[in-house]
Amino acid sequence: MSATTARPNKFVVGLWDHEEVYLHAIEHIRAKGIEIYDSITPFPVHGLEDALGYKESRLHTAGFFFGATGTTLALTFMTWVMTTNYPINFGGKPNWPLPSFIPITFELTVLFSAWGMTLTYLVRNKLWPGRVPRIYDKRTTDDRFALVFDAEKLSDTQISDIKGLCTKEGAVEVKDKVFAGHDEL
């Protein structure tokens, strides 16, 4: 991994115990121009995407293209089989019985869309088998809300400003977290 693509290993982690205070803190911290590296919550928080300024995901667009691929593949294969590879005259019925293709076409559309979106999600979020996730604080899976700040390139003054702002905004704990070198592949 080159220096430009290396993940940071030094962080400041602020912990909150209530979601409304947490959302309010995110808005104030972003208003100050401080970049938030990650946000971790024990359960889905309504309005968090808006507070963090996230754009809408394009996963549904990918799902449409995966589904269109499944539809095209199903219709192409069945057309080839019924007209070229193994044409059979079923009691005078047409060689290309499109209405009978609908169930299989629907199933392959759903199958391709579901598998494609699942694999896209896993690859995009780097959730492949064997990956060891970084755990900033174990309590984020129980009852704490965490904001993570990349402290790799910040000065000591900037780090203390972030810690002070987190405390001012209601954080119950603010701590440093350092990961050893290459903790994942």
Side-chain angles (χ1 to χ4, degrees), residues 5 34 47 74 160 175:
T5 60
I34 298 173
S160 63
K175 63 181 184 173

Side-chain angles (χ1 to χ4, degrees), residues 4-147:
T4 57
T5 60
R7 291 182 50 180
N9 292 318
K10 182 180 175 186
F11 301 94
V12 173
V13 180
L15 298 169
W16 280 260
D17 60 355
H18 194 274
E19 67 182 287
E20 290 177 15
V21 178
Y22 180 68
L23 285 173
H24 184 70
I26 290 172
E27 292 169 359
H28 283 243
I29 290 169
R30 286 194 68 230
K32 298 270 187 191
I34 298 173
E35 183 180 342
I36 298 171
Y37 181 79
D38 202 357
S39 168
I40 305 166
T41 63
F43 53 83
V45 176
H46 180 69
L48 182 62
E49 311 85 28
D50 297 330
L52 289 168
Y54 287 168
K55 297 177 186 173
E56 185 176 332
S57 169
R58 295 184 307 231
L59 189 60
H60 58 280
T61 305
F64 171 77
F65 286 111
F66 287 124
T69 302
T71 300
T72 304
L73 183 68
L75 289 175
T76 302
F77 182 72
M78 287 185 290
T79 298
W80 173 72
V81 168
M82 297 297 284
T83 61
T84 306
N85 186 38
Y86 198 67
I88 297 178
N89 187 350
F90 293 100
K93 294 180 182 171
N95 282 344
W96 193 61
L98 186 60
S100 67
F101 294 173
I102 291 173
I104 294 172
T105 302
F106 174 77
E107 293 299 330
L108 278 180
T109 301
V110 172
L111 180 73
F112 272 61
S113 184
W115 273 98
M117 286 195 305
T118 300
L119 293 175
T120 300
Y121 176 82
L122 293 174
V123 169
R124 173 69 180 91
N125 291 305
K126 300 175 184 169
L127 294 174
W128 46 78
R131 179 179 183 270
V132 179
R134 287 185 166 178
I135 299 178
Y136 300 99
D137 192 285
K138 290 182 181 181
R139 294 172 289 175
T140 58
T141 60
D142 187 23
D143 65 347
R144 293 285 188 249
F145 302 86
L147 283 181

